[in-house]
């Protein structure tokens, strides 16, 4: 066992037992403090569920892309949280460890001038020969840590165990991860094992490199409640510090968690071990997520049953606080100040991520960045903000309990042949250079600041507790908002009367994108002077041409199309956008191809339209890109959506439900596209500044007849009146399925059809039900109270 320096000195209030004096008093800004740093991290969870390991490094492909590190360095990032995970390097013991991957990666980081913060266990439980309730786990991890330090003596920052408290909850209290405990004792056992492992691992590392620093991370939120449940909220708010309190040697008789731990059967000597072997953080790492703030409410009738839980004394709902609190969450500045006041050591936000649409991801990062700056201005020694999940993450929507392949992009999107930098990557470069970001979507607030989007339940004003502090409550709730003083520039959308234009307007509202919908009576978009006039009046940052985006009916009566909408108008809009430096998005379809290929068409395939409509679309594409090479031209398939009753799927279901016969062709393969999926992907690409041709369609090719049967089956509508397929006629291509060599951004067709059926039935008609809850992935479930 590594030797650890002993100390029985009682830490003073507001001090970690690290023997260090404070560099500056509370409330005074650090003298000569360097600028706030931008760190980054790669989602690297390797967790065990049953006998299976779920490996994010493999899922993302980062395991096989050394040049990812060049992409990171190219953003201006100079500090990177990086995995040298025990489970991946030495799954069969140290004597059989394979250091090849770590050697190559760490060596390349060093050559790039990027400082790694090396992680050894990330939500994991170690190799198969041990577990988080194995008394030998700490010593085993310490041995591995020593080997890492010996091999890489130049590495000087470590996180031996990421988020011990969160991992203990998921592995010991909620039962999601191995060893799947579901009781308070297992939860505490796991946490004590992890914290002891951190202390032993750092002692082993420091025997090799005495200068090595501990960057101890954990999720830090805050719990609010009704007065009835104030006792439970107080308990949760004390428990959230337990990782750092144990490592600092603060958990002793008189500590609010001491009796809780003793009552569970933890021997006093096991807790006293941490008093004798303190291992405080050199940098206290706060992982900050929108879902980490919780609200407890005994009024169960206000909330869906899925959120109901209890603690044996009361039944209550446990929901995201941002969905209930009348004034929203106080923001990261308040949490940073709480941590600083409690421990008086440098702090950093070591994970900042929001699983959502692109502009919301950017707004979240800017909010967190400004919150950290606010905390620094208040005298808190905040060193950095860490952009997490640079290459995205998989299956956090199911808490990484099964390999479903659900992907959330990050600064890079992995759904193409190679990682594609998103607008979030551009924002990172701006922040890394200590410049103020200026993307037009940042002039509008994030959904967590828009009551119409964030409040899902009756709003509540919780009682203020003494520890909240008036100045702290005012922190990020006012300071971060003061920076957006410019009126947001709009997105201008043509085709207000069409299904696509209508959907664009709806989803821009949900996403907080200022926009103006234009109908034909508002402006003649084929008239250059009229277009110049409207662009001058509205001053948009982008223009979306959604007029005339229909698709021929499957019965074979090919629409002749409106020449003005499909060819002349796009050219005029492109010219107007080029003159004013405005981004342009326009649409085309699979009809630009001849249908003779036996595989999905990709962007580089030559066009050969067989009908009038397809020819006009092809000519329109060419004219737009010749006039404005920075334009984005999206080709898509036949559209269907929850708000349009005239699309093929809606009309077919309506006919079948009424008992009328339906006859459609069966030898024309198409890529039906769910309009909300299309709109979200298009808006993301527009925010990213993408250009050129891009194929966007739900993955999966079907005939019209198959599509009718699939939709009817999911809707529970009888297919008895669905007649045998008719033969193809007219100019319909035989094979019109679309693929993409740039990135398949839309989900599979069967998933889209399921959501279409659900959304069509939903009572909400002004927004998509699933958009009412933005994709804010993270680690929360209804609790089983300790």
């Amino acid at each position: 066992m590594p030797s650890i320096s002993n100390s029985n000195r009682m830490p003073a209030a507001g001090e970690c037992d690290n023997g260090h004096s404070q560099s500056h008093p509370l409330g005074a800004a650090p003298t000569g403090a360097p600028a706030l740093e931008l760190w980054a991290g790669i989602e690297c969870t390797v967790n065990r569920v049953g006998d299976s390991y779920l490996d994010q490094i493999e899922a993302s492909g980062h395991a096989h892309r050394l040049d990812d590190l060049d992409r990171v360095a190219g953003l201006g990032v100079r500090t990177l949280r990086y995995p040298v995970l025990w489970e991946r390097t030495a799954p069969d013991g140290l004597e059989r460890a394979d250091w090849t991957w770590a050697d190559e990666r760490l060596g390349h980081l060093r050559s790039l001038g990027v400082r790694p913060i090396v992680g050894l266990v990330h939500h994991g439980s170690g190799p198969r020969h041990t577990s988080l309730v194995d008394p030998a786990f700490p010593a085993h991890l310490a041995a591995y840590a020593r080997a890492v330090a010996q091999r890489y003596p130049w590495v000087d920052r470590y996180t031996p165990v990421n988020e011990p408290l969160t991992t203990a909850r998921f592995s010991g209290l909620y039962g999601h991860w191995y060893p799947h405990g579901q009781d308070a004792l297992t939860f505490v056992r796991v946490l004590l094992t992890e914290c002891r492992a951190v202390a032993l691992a750092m002692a082993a590392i420091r025997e090799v490199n005495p200068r090595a620093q501990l960057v101890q991370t954990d999720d830090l939120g805050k719990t609010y409640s009704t007065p009835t449940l104030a006792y439970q909220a107080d308990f949760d708010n004390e428990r959230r510090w337990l990782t750092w309190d144990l490592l600092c040697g603060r958990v002793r008789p008189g500590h609010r968690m001491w009796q809780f731990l003793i009552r569970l059967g933890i021997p006093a000597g096991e807790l006293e071990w941490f008093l004798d072997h303190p291992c405080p953080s050199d940098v206290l790492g706060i992982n900050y997520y929108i879902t980490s703030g919780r609200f407890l409410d005994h009024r169960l009738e206000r909330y869906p049953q899925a959120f109901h839980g209890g603690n044996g004394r009361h039944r209550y709902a446990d929901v995201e606080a941002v969905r209930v609190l009348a004034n929203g969450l106080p923001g990261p500045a308040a949490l940073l100040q709480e941590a600083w006041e409690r421990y008086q050591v440098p702090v950093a936000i070591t994970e900042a991520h929001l699983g959502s649409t692109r502009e919301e991801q950017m707004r979240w990062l800017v909010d967190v960045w400004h919150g950290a700056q606010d905390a620094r201005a208040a005298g808190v020694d905040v060193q950095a903000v860490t952009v997490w999940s640079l290459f995205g993450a998989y299956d956090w929507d199911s808490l990484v309990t099964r390999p479903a392949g659900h992907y959330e992009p990050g600064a890079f999107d992995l759904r193409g042949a190679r990682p594609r930098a998103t607008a979030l990557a551009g924002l990172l470069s701006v922040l890394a250079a200590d410049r103020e970001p200026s993307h037009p979507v940042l002039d509008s607030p994030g959904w967590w600041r828009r009551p119409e989007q964030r409040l899902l339940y009756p709003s509540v004003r919780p009682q203020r507790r003494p520890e909240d502090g008036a100045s702290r409550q005012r922190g990020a709730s006012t300071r971060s908002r003061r920076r957006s003083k410019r009126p947001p520039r709009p997105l201008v959308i043509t085709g207000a009367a069409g299904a696509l234009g209508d959907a664009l307007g709806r989803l821009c509202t949900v996403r907080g994108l200022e926009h103006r919908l234009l109908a034909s009576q508002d402006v003649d978009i084929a008239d250059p002077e009229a277009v110049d006039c409207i662009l001058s009046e509205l001053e948009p940052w982008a223009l979306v041409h959604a007029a005339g985006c229909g698709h021929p009916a499957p019965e074979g009566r090919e629409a002749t199309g409106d020449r003005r909408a499909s060819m002349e108008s796009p050219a005029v809009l492109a010219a107007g956008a080029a003159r004013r430096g405005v981004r342009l998005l326009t649409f085309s379809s699979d009809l630009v191809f001849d249908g003779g290929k036996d595989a999905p068409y990709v962007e580089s395939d030559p066009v050969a339209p067989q009908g009038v409509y397809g020819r006009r679309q092809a000519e329109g594409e060419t004219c737009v890109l010749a006039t404005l090479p920075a334009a984005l031209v999206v080709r898509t398939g036949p559209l269907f959506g929850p708000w349009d009753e005239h699309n093929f799927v809606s009309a077919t279901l309506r006919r079948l439900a009424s008992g009328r016969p339906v006859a459609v062709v069966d030898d024309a393969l198409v890529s039906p596209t769910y309009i909300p999926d299309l709109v979200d992907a298009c808006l993301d690409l527009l925010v990213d500044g993408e250009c050129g041709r891009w194929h966007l369609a739900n993955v999966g090719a079907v005939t019209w007849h198959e599509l009718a049967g699939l939709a009817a089956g999911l809707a529970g509508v009888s297919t008895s009146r669905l007649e045998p397929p008719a033969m193809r006629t007219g100019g319909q291509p035989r094979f019109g399925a679309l693929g993409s060599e740039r990135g398949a951004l839309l989900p599979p067709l069967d998933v889209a059809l399921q959501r279409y059926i659900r959304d069509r039935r939903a009572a909400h008609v002004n927004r998509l039900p699933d958009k009412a809850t933005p994709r804010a992935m993270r680690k929360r479930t209804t609790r089983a109270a300790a």
Side-chain angles (χ1 to χ4, degrees):
M1 177 180 296
S3 62
I4 306 178
S5 60
N6 295 325
S7 173
N8 291 313
R9 185 175 68 88
M10 178 73 173
E15 180 188 6
C16 267
D17 192 0
N18 58 7
H20 299 315
S21 60
Q22 297 309 308
S23 58
H24 56 274
L26 179 65
T31 303
L36 182 65
E37 295 181 28
L38 184 81
W39 297 351
I42 293 169
E43 172 55 34
C44 56
T45 296
V46 176
N47 63 305
R48 183 176 176 181
V49 178
D51 290 329
S52 300
Y53 283 84
L54 286 79
D55 187 336
Q56 295 272 336
I57 305 172
E58 285 291 336
S60 69
H62 176 67
H64 311 288
R65 289 193 308 270
L66 179 65
D67 59 356
D68 279 355
L69 302 181
D70 298 278
R71 295 182 177 94
V72 174
L75 299 177
V77 171
R78 291 295 173 261
T79 299
L80 181 70
R81 291 186 61 194
Y82 202 70
V84 182
L85 299 185
W86 187 15
E87 296 93 338
R88 288 177 53 85
T89 306
D92 300 314
L94 269 177
E95 64 281 359
R96 300 178 64 182
D98 183 353
W99 300 97
T100 306
W101 190 88
D103 286 350
E104 186 177 42
R105 265 65 183 175
L106 291 183
H108 195 44
L109 283 174
R110 194 178 190 187
S111 71
L112 292 169
V114 177
R115 181 188 195 183
I117 301 173
V118 168
L120 306 181
V121 175
H122 198 99
H123 292 315
S125 54
R128 293 186 185 278
H129 61 76
T130 188
S131 80
L132 295 174
V133 290
D134 176 9
F137 180 97
H140 290 321
L141 180 60
Y144 175 71
R146 181 194 300 275
V148 172
Q150 289 171 337
R151 196 169 189 91
Y152 313 110
W154 54 274
V155 172
D156 61 358
R157 282 188 171 180
Y158 288 86
T159 302
V161 178
N162 175 66
E163 292 192 353
L165 186 70
T166 299
T167 303
R169 288 190 292 112
F170 277 41
S171 298
L173 191 57
Y174 305 151
H176 298 319
W177 301 337
Y178 190 82
H180 304 291
Q182 295 185 7
D183 59 272
L185 180 57
T186 305
F187 157 72
V188 168
R189 278 280 170 219
V190 169
L191 180 61
L192 292 173
T193 297
E194 292 175 302
C195 290
R196 191 177 185 115
V198 170
L200 293 180
M202 286 308 300
I205 290 167
R206 285 166 174 159
E207 288 181 356
V208 177
N209 181 1
R211 298 174 293 102
Q213 294 183 331
L214 170 62
V215 181
Q216 185 54 60
T217 63
D218 222 320
D219 181 281
L220 184 65
K222 191 158 189 172
T223 301
Y224 305 85
S225 73
T226 58
T228 300
L229 293 165
Y231 71 95
Q232 181 66 50
D234 288 343
F235 174 85
D236 291 354
N237 285 328
E238 190 64 30
R239 188 185 66 174
R240 63 185 170 145
W241 304 108
L242 202 44
T243 294
W244 298 300
D245 278 2
L246 283 166
L247 290 173
C248 281
R250 294 170 59 108
V251 181
R252 59 183 69 237
H255 188 281
R256 293 180 65 182
M257 288 287 106
W258 178 271
Q259 284 303 319
F260 165 71
L261 298 170
I262 295 297
R263 284 198 303 269
L264 285 176
I266 302 301
E270 195 167 339
L271 301 178
E272 290 167 351
W273 185 91
F274 291 98
L275 307 183
D276 296 332
H277 306 87
C279 184
S281 296
D282 295 282
V283 178
L284 192 145
I286 293 173
N287 296 349
Y288 182 63
Y289 290 91
I290 192 67
T291 54
S292 298
R294 310 302 296 178
F295 184 76
L296 311 182
D297 196 331
H298 62 285
R299 296 164 295 188
L300 296 176
E301 69 279 0
R302 293 186 172 205
Y303 308 96
Q305 190 170 359
F307 299 103
H308 294 184
N311 58 13
R313 177 175 167 186
H314 283 101
R315 293 277 297 165
Y316 53 82
D318 177 351
V319 297
E320 297 167 5
V322 70
R323 301 300 190 180
V324 180
L325 297 185
N327 294 329
L329 296 177
L335 292 174
L336 289 166
Q337 189 155 349
E338 280 192 83
W340 169 251
E341 290 174 356
R342 189 177 183 98
Y343 298 106
Q344 293 283 284
V345 297
V347 296
I349 293 178
T350 40
E351 290 183 22
H353 175 78
L354 181 70
S356 189
T357 53
R358 190 80 72 245
E359 71 287 342
E360 299 289 29
Q361 289 183 314
M362 297 170 69
R363 292 164 183 162
W364 179 250
L365 177 57
V366 169
D367 256 21
V368 173
W369 183 262
H370 287 165
Q373 290 178 322
D374 291 340
R376 284 167 61 93
V380 180
D381 186 359
V382 185
Q383 295 201 344
V385 170
T386 308
V387 182
W388 193 242
S389 298
L390 280 183
F391 296 93
Y394 286 85
D395 296 324
W396 272 104
D397 64 320
S398 57
L399 303 177
V400 200
T401 55
R402 53 189 175 86
H406 180 269
Y407 176 65
E408 301 263 4
F412 296 90
D413 191 323
L414 302 181
R415 291 173 291 184
R418 61 186 61 85
R420 178 181 66 86
T422 69
L424 187 61
L427 176 60
L428 264 65
S429 294
V430 170
L431 296 179
D434 198 26
R435 303 198 309 270
E436 190 67 18
S438 60
H439 195 291
V441 300
L442 298 176
D443 293 331
S444 297
W447 67 258
W448 54 96
R449 297 192 183 280
R450 304 195 304 268
E452 66 276 12
Q453 257 79 48
R454 71 174 183 83
L455 290 174
L456 298 185
Y457 314 111
S459 63
V460 175
R461 296 182 185 274
Q463 290 182 321
R464 180 176 296 173
R465 295 186 174 86
E467 67 270 19
D468 291 336
S471 62
R472 186 184 300 152
Q473 284 284 18
R474 288 193 298 268
S477 63
T478 57
R479 295 192 193 102
S480 292
R481 293 185 223 188
R482 72 175 186 262
R483 294 178 170 92
S484 290
K485 294 182 178 179
R486 297 167 298 198
R489 295 168 63 193
L491 192 68
V492 168
I493 304 166
T494 70
L500 183 55
D502 174 68
L504 278 158
R506 289 174 182 264
L507 291 179
C508 279
T509 298
V510 170
R511 294 172 61 150
L513 292 170
E514 189 77 17
H515 63 282
R516 173 74 181 273
L517 278 168
L518 299 179
S520 57
Q521 62 267 29
D522 297 319
V523 62
D524 181 358
I525 56 176
D527 180 349
E529 289 187 9
V531 169
D532 275 344
C533 182
I534 201 72
L535 293 180
S536 176
E537 175 188 346
L538 299 179
E539 297 184 337
W541 65 273
L543 183 58
V544 180
H545 178 46
C549 296
H551 198 282
E555 291 82 1
R557 299 187 300 274
E558 182 181 348
T560 58
D562 182 352
R563 179 183 178 85
R564 289 167 65 86
S566 60
M567 191 169 68
E568 295 177 7
S569 298
V572 170
L573 293 171
R579 284 191 295 272
R580 294 186 170 272
V582 172
R583 297 178 189 176
L584 174 66
L585 163 65
T586 187
F587 293 88
S588 184
S589 79
D590 56 282
L591 296 178
V592 300
F593 299 112
D594 62 10
K597 190 180 178 183
D598 59 359
Y601 286 93
V602 296
E603 291 85 355
S604 61
D605 283 328
V607 299
Q610 299 298 293
V612 174
Y613 194 48
R615 283 195 295 273
R616 288 180 176 171
Q617 285 187 326
E619 292 170 6
E621 289 182 15
T622 301
C623 187
V624 164
L625 291 173
T627 305
L628 182 62
L632 176 62
V633 177
V634 170
R635 292 175 181 152
T636 189
L639 305 179
F640 66 101
W643 307 295
D644 169 30
E645 287 301 316
H646 303 292
N647 66 74
F648 171 77
V649 176
S650 296
T652 297
L653 291 179
R654 191 167 57 251
R655 288 180 65 90
L656 289 175
S658 66
R660 290 177 289 170
V662 173
V664 291
V665 296
D666 195 37
D667 61 349
L669 281 165
V670 293
S671 294
T673 305
Y674 187 46
I675 292 179
D677 289 342
L678 174 67
V679 168
D680 270 336
C682 286
L683 292 175
D684 281 351
L685 293 176
L686 194 61
V687 172
D688 288 342
E690 289 292 344
C691 61
R693 295 178 176 91
W694 202 306
H695 289 185
L696 292 178
N698 291 107
V699 179
V702 295
T703 66
W704 292 100
H705 191 271
E706 290 169 341
L707 177 60
L710 283 171
L714 290 170
V717 174
S718 171
T719 57
S720 61
R721 301 308 305 274
L722 183 61
E723 297 182 353
M727 294 301 293
R728 176 173 62 92
T729 60
Q732 264 302 64
R734 179 179 59 80
F735 195 102
L738 295 176
S740 178
E741 57 198 1
R742 299 188 68 178
L745 306 186
L746 273 58
L749 177 59
D750 58 341
V751 174
L753 282 169
Q754 291 169 13
R755 287 178 35 243
Y756 160 79
I757 298 300
R758 183 200 64 200
D759 296 340
R760 190 165 176 260
R761 291 171 175 167
H764 300 82
V765 295
N766 292 322
R767 64 183 183 185
L768 273 177
D770 64 340
K771 292 297 175 185
T773 306
R775 292 166 280 171
M777 72 171 190
R778 202 50 183 173
K779 320 160 188 176
R780 286 286 181 172
T781 61
T782 302
R783 75 190 63 200

